[in-house]
Every structure is written in structure tokens, then in C-alpha cells.
Amino acid sequence: MGQCPSAPRRRKPPPPPPSPSPTHPSPVPPQAPQHLLASLAEAAGEDHTADLPEELLALVFGLLGSGDRKRCSLVCRRWLAAEAASRLRLALDARAPLLADSALPRLLARFPAVSKLALKCDRRSESVGDPALALVADRLGPGLRRLKLRSLRAVTDDGVVGLAAAATNLRKLSVGSCTFGAKGIEAVLRSCLQLEELSIKRLRGLADSEPIAASGPRLQSLSLKELYNGQCFSCLITQSPNLKTLKIIRCSGDWDLVLQDVPRDSLLSELHLEKLQVSDRGVSALFGLEVLYLAKAPEVTDVGLAALAAKSPRLRKLHVDGWKANRIGDRGLAAVAQKCASLQELVLIGVNLTYSSLELIAANCPTLERLALCGSDTFGDAEISCVAAKCAALRKLCIKACPVSDAGMDKLAEGCPRLVKVKVKKCRRVTSECAERLRASRNGALAVNFDTPGGGGELQDARSIDESGVLDNAGSDVPPEDLDDRIGPDLSSGSSGRPSRWKARMGALMPRSLSVSIFRRQPRGASYTSHES
């Protein structure tokens, strides 16, 4: 209509926020009475724990972790004193420069109630010596219950003798990479009559030691690892009346004579033998075992295992690492099936069992709940079908590097009604479709963990196989071990030669899709090869 276009209208800027009044910096409204301001100021500086007794405050600190306890000790002087007076565990870096002069006496004076002490030093550093142990004996001796010494190369037999004389109530001693010898250990056995657990690893002073002529009247657990002349503890093994757990791992020398001297009425129920010079003579001399871990002892054959099974009818856990030596097989396992009806856990690594022995185990061991087979060249579809059909009590199953396929694994969907967890690792003929079928068969109640060349299973480190050796929450009586060390490099590495632990670390640093595409093997006809970018 002939009108000119109007210019765009400018928006007014928003008004600036009102500046706080200098007369009222507090969030309290100006009309607040003076007595309210005084009460707020008093509440801000009030200590609400002032009325708590010291015992209750110490009980609260006892429920906290180490980091939280340290932070709480920085709050005030009262909390610092209460935390120090109630601390029972103390771990100290035992390098000599750190605990020189008055540092160690002040630390021990600050924590007078410590009953569990650990002194650890770096192997390349100079450690504290006998004077430090003398201070520990003087300040903590009577109340000390647990003691751990690691890499204290400056400590001698004399220092250990003095500490043992003061720590008469010691219950647990763990020694590793120290240089004192049999004299110090014998002093502990003679002075600490309450000792229940003794662990010795890489004790350097045992090379020329005479046999220790002492026993532990209350000793229940003895662990010997990586010792030269470990046979000097033979008297301790054979004459400790309450010894129940014995672990001999990577110790040199012949151990048959020591095992043959174990009394028939001994309470020994758990035995760990790993990388030892031991044969059928030593193993067959044992009676009444309930737990047996036999790893990388190639001189033990079916004969020794059968003799032990006949003398240990209450055997409930059996772990055998055959080390691909083929000395233990169907004959020994058949004897276990016939004599040990209470078997609950069976772990076989590098053992070639067949349908015949597995059928006997399934028929004669009705309480078998946990089964693991690793690196068995003869465990195929027929064997897994036998497990599915006859192991009614089985709850957890682990299969690694065995020639099973989808046809055999599908049988698990119809059998093993109590099965709750299945692990399959490095089985080339098992696919992800099989895993999905197993999950669907139990309406999600079955946990299926697949790490297969053709599947989409999650890449896992060897430690995904449990602390008992293979199965999660298996109720093991042993500390965690790396399965890769048990089954050898041929099973723990892929075709590229790189260990699975390296792959797991690389997978943690890369996106999931990229890491899986790098490390997953792809099928090519009937064979599978690894492709790395």
C-alpha cells in the first residue's frame, strides 16, 4: 500500500543483575535477628563427634579403608590420636634411608596397637637390618600376631632370633627374598608356640643349612616356594601334629623321601605340588587327602594317582596340570572315579582324557559341580555330550583349547539342569551363534562367556579364569594363580606368538571394535588364522 518497510527493532539488553549489597554479604536476609546469626556461626564451628567416646570413634575408624583412615587422621588432633591408637595393620617401606635415625621409633610409638606388621623393601635398595627388628620387638613384640618380611637382605639370623623371643604370640609369619637361614626359622618355631601359618619363599640362607630339628605344635599351614635345600624342613612337615595344608612349589631336590615319611594318621588334607622332583613313590605314600593340586610333575603317572585315590576316598578337589607329558590319562582318572565318590571339583590341564574315563566320573561322582578342561586334544563332541547327559549336578564348566564344536556344545542346552555358568576359550570350532542358543535355552539364567575365534565374545585376560585355577567362585583354598603359567606358552599365546595378557592390555587401550577386529581370528574354510594390522 505504498508504505516503506520499517527498520528492524532492536531488543533491549537484559538489565544487569543487582550487585550484592556491601552491607549484607551473608545469604541470611537483612532482617535476620542477631541471635540467629550467632547460632549459625556457633554451629559452623561445632564438633559433633566431641561427645563420642574414644572407643566408639575407634570402632568407626575400624570400618574404614586405609585411605579413608589416613584422611580422617588429618581432620584434627583428636582424630589423629584415635586413629593411631586403633590401627591394627601397618605396612612400612623398609628401605634403610627412609627409616633411618628416629623415623622408625616415632612410627612405632604412634601406632602402639599394631598386631599385623609388614616390612617390605625394594630388591635393589638397601633394607633395614637387625636394629630395626630389635625396635619392633621392643615396641610391638608381645602384641604382634602377623608379620611379613620382604627383601630384608640386611637382616641376619641374630635379628630374627631376638624378634622371635619377644613376639611369643605370633600366629602367622611370611618371609620372602631374605638372606637369613635356618637358625632364624628354628628360633621362631621354638619361641612362637602359637604359630599357625608359615610361608617361606626364596630364603637365601638355606643353601648349607642342617635339617631343622623343630616342629610346630599348632602349625596348620606350611608353604615352601622356590627354595634350595628345602628338605631341611622335613622334620617340620612330618612332626607337626596339626598340619593340614602343605604347599611345595618350585623347590629343588628330591621330595619323595619327605612325602614317604608323612605319618599315616597325619591331619594333612590339602597338598599342592608344583614343578617338583616327585614321583609315584612319594604321591602313593599319602593318606586321607581332600584337596590335591598336582602341577608340572612329569614323574607322577597313572599308577601314583590311582594309589593316592585308593587311600584318599574323601578327595573333593583335584587339579592336575599334566604339562602335555601324557603320563596321566584315562587309567588314573578312572581310579579317581571309582574310589573318590565325593569329588566336587575337577580341573585337568594338558591331560588327554576320553569318553571312557569321563563316563565313569559322571556316573560315580554325583556331587561333581565344577569341571574345567584345558588343552586336551581328546576332549571333543562325544565327551561334551557325555557331560551334558550324565553330570546332573554340574554348575560351572570351563573349556579351553579343546576340539569341541557347536554340535557338542548344543547338547548343554538339553542337559546339566543345574548349570549356571559356561566358559569357552580358544575353541576354534565354536561360534557365537552357539553361545546365543545356549543363552536362549535357559531364558537368560545361564551365564555364557565365549572367547572364540569366530564369535563376538569379549576378549579376556587369563585371569578371567578363577582363583581356584579355572572357575569363578569355586571355593578354592589357594591364592590366585595365573592360568597361563599353568598351561604353558603353547596355550597362553595366539598364533602370533604374543601372550594373551599383552592382547588384553592392548584391548584396554583401544576402542572395543578396533581391538576385537585386530585380535579376532577369522575363519578360512576349515582352518582359522590370526590377522593383525
Side-chain angles (χ1 to χ4, degrees):
M1 299 291 297
Q3 296 179 353
C4 297
S6 60
R9 300 177 62 183
R10 296 183 179 180
R11 295 183 179 180
K12 295 182 180 180
S19 58
S21 174
T23 59
H24 301 287
S26 172
V28 182
Q31 63 273 15
Q34 293 296 326
H35 66 85
L36 178 60
L37 294 177
S39 62
L40 290 175
E42 181 180 358
E46 182 180 357
D47 182 7
H48 296 280
T49 66
D51 297 334
L52 293 178
E54 300 294 336
E55 294 79 6
L56 184 57
L57 194 60
L59 182 62
V60 173
F61 287 150
L63 301 176
L64 302 179
S66 177
D68 290 335
R69 289 182 67 109
K70 293 177 183 177
R71 285 184 284 271
C72 288
S73 66
L74 301 177
V75 172
C76 62
R77 293 180 181 274
R78 180 170 179 258
W79 284 24
L80 176 66
E83 192 277 330
S86 62
R87 180 180 285 269
L88 301 179
R89 297 174 179 264
L90 183 62
L92 297 178
D93 189 334
R95 286 180 287 178
L98 296 180
L99 298 181
D101 301 330
S102 60
L104 183 58
R106 286 187 293 177
L107 280 172
L108 297 179
R110 178 184 170 187
F111 303 105
V114 167
S115 61
K116 304 172 185 179
L117 177 66
L119 297 176
K120 304 178 182 180
C121 180
D122 186 84
R123 294 182 181 180
R124 296 167 294 183
S125 304
E126 180 185 359
S127 71
V128 296
D130 293 346
L133 290 193
L135 282 172
V136 172
D138 181 52
R139 301 293 178 90
L140 306 178
L144 206 58
R145 298 294 185 271
R146 296 186 180 184
L147 178 63
K148 180 181 293 186
L149 305 178
R150 288 289 184 272
S151 301
L152 302 186
R153 287 182 166 82
V155 172
T156 66
D157 285 326
D158 296 335
V160 178
V161 170
L163 177 60
T168 55
N169 294 318
L170 193 66
R171 303 291 178 86
K172 182 177 180 180
L173 174 64
S174 178
V175 177
S177 300
C178 296
T179 56
F180 58 89
K183 179 182 176 182
I185 299 297
E186 186 170 357
V188 171
L189 295 172
R190 295 189 181 279
S191 300
C192 307
L193 301 181
Q194 307 295 325
L195 192 67
E196 298 177 354
E197 296 184 35
L198 177 60
S199 176
I200 304 174
K201 181 178 181 180
R202 289 195 298 268
L203 193 60
R204 309 297 184 184
L206 294 178
D208 301 322
S209 298
E210 296 294 329
I212 297 177
S215 61
R218 294 196 178 185
L219 188 66
Q220 299 180 12
S221 176
L222 175 62
S223 177
L224 306 176
K225 297 181 181 181
E226 302 178 23
L227 299 180
Y228 183 79
N229 192 23
Q231 289 80 2
C232 65
F233 294 102
S234 59
C235 181
L236 182 62
I237 295 173
T238 59
Q239 297 184 16
S240 296
N242 294 304
L243 186 63
K244 297 178 181 180
T245 301
L246 175 61
K247 302 177 184 180
I248 309 176
I249 300 173
R250 297 185 293 274
C251 295
S252 62
D254 188 359
W255 287 88
D256 280 340
L257 295 178
V258 177
L259 296 181
Q260 287 176 339
D261 290 339
V262 175
R264 182 169 183 172
D265 58 349
S266 170
L267 298 180
L268 185 65
S269 61
E270 182 175 344
L271 179 64
H272 298 237
L273 303 176
E274 181 178 342
K275 282 190 176 181
L276 286 186
Q277 184 182 341
V278 62
S279 67
D280 292 340
R281 292 180 301 167
V283 172
S284 61
L286 300 171
F287 288 82
L289 290 183
E290 298 181 13
V291 179
L292 174 62
Y293 288 74
L294 185 62
K296 300 174 182 176
E299 296 183 23
V300 179
T301 67
D302 285 331
V303 176
L305 184 59
L308 182 141
K311 299 176 181 179
S312 302
R314 294 180 299 174
L315 190 69
R316 54 186 176 85
K317 291 185 181 181
L318 176 61
H319 289 217
V320 178
D321 185 349
W323 217 10
K324 292 287 186 178
N326 290 327
R327 307 296 299 275
I328 295 178
D330 282 338
R331 183 182 173 186
L333 295 175
V336 171
Q338 293 170 355
K339 301 296 182 179
C340 307
S342 301
L343 193 65
Q344 299 176 4
E345 179 174 323
L346 178 62
V347 177
L348 302 175
I349 303 172
V351 176
N352 292 328
L353 78 166
T354 63
Y355 184 94
S356 60
S357 60
L358 193 58
E359 185 181 23
L360 285 175
I361 292 173
N364 297 335
C365 303
T367 59
L368 184 65
E369 295 183 348
R370 299 175 290 274
L371 176 63
L373 299 114
C374 304
S376 176
D377 297 332
T378 58
F379 187 84
D381 289 341
E383 287 71 24
I384 192 66
S385 300
C386 176
V387 171
K390 300 185 177 182
C391 294
L394 194 66
R395 297 178 58 85
K396 297 181 181 180
L397 174 65
C398 177
I399 304 173
K400 181 173 182 178
C402 295
V404 296
S405 67
D406 287 357
M409 296 299 297
D410 285 337
K411 299 295 184 180
L412 293 175
E414 305 170 1
C416 299
R418 299 184 60 188
L419 195 63
V420 296
K421 191 167 188 177
V422 177
K423 283 188 177 183
V424 179
K425 296 170 68 67
K426 297 185 180 181
C427 296
R428 300 183 177 185
R429 299 166 59 193
V430 181
T431 63
S432 60
E433 291 78 7
C434 178
E436 295 301 329
R437 289 194 296 269
L438 285 178
R439 293 189 184 98
S441 66
R442 306 292 175 95
N443 297 323
L446 179 61
V448 182
N449 189 337
F450 270 57
D451 178 14
T452 60
E458 184 177 356
L459 281 174
Q460 293 191 357
D461 180 77
R463 292 189 181 274
S464 64
I465 301 200
D466 92 333
E467 65 175 304
S468 74
V470 190
L471 301 165
D472 288 336
N473 302 322
S476 170
D477 300 317
V478 296
E481 294 286 348
D482 190 7
L483 185 66
D484 285 346
D485 294 336
R486 294 174 178 255
I487 63 179
D490 54 331
L491 296 180
S492 62
S493 302
S495 61
S496 63
R498 291 177 175 174
S500 58
R501 185 179 301 176
W502 178 86
K503 294 181 181 180
R505 291 177 179 174
M506 290 298 295
L509 298 176
M510 293 185 291
R512 175 181 172 84
S513 60
L514 177 60
S515 63
V516 172
S517 65
I518 289 178
F519 297 126
R520 182 189 300 165
R521 299 178 181 178
Q522 301 295 335
R524 180 183 297 174
S527 63
Y528 297 85
T529 57
S530 176
H531 300 279
E532 294 186 5
S533 60

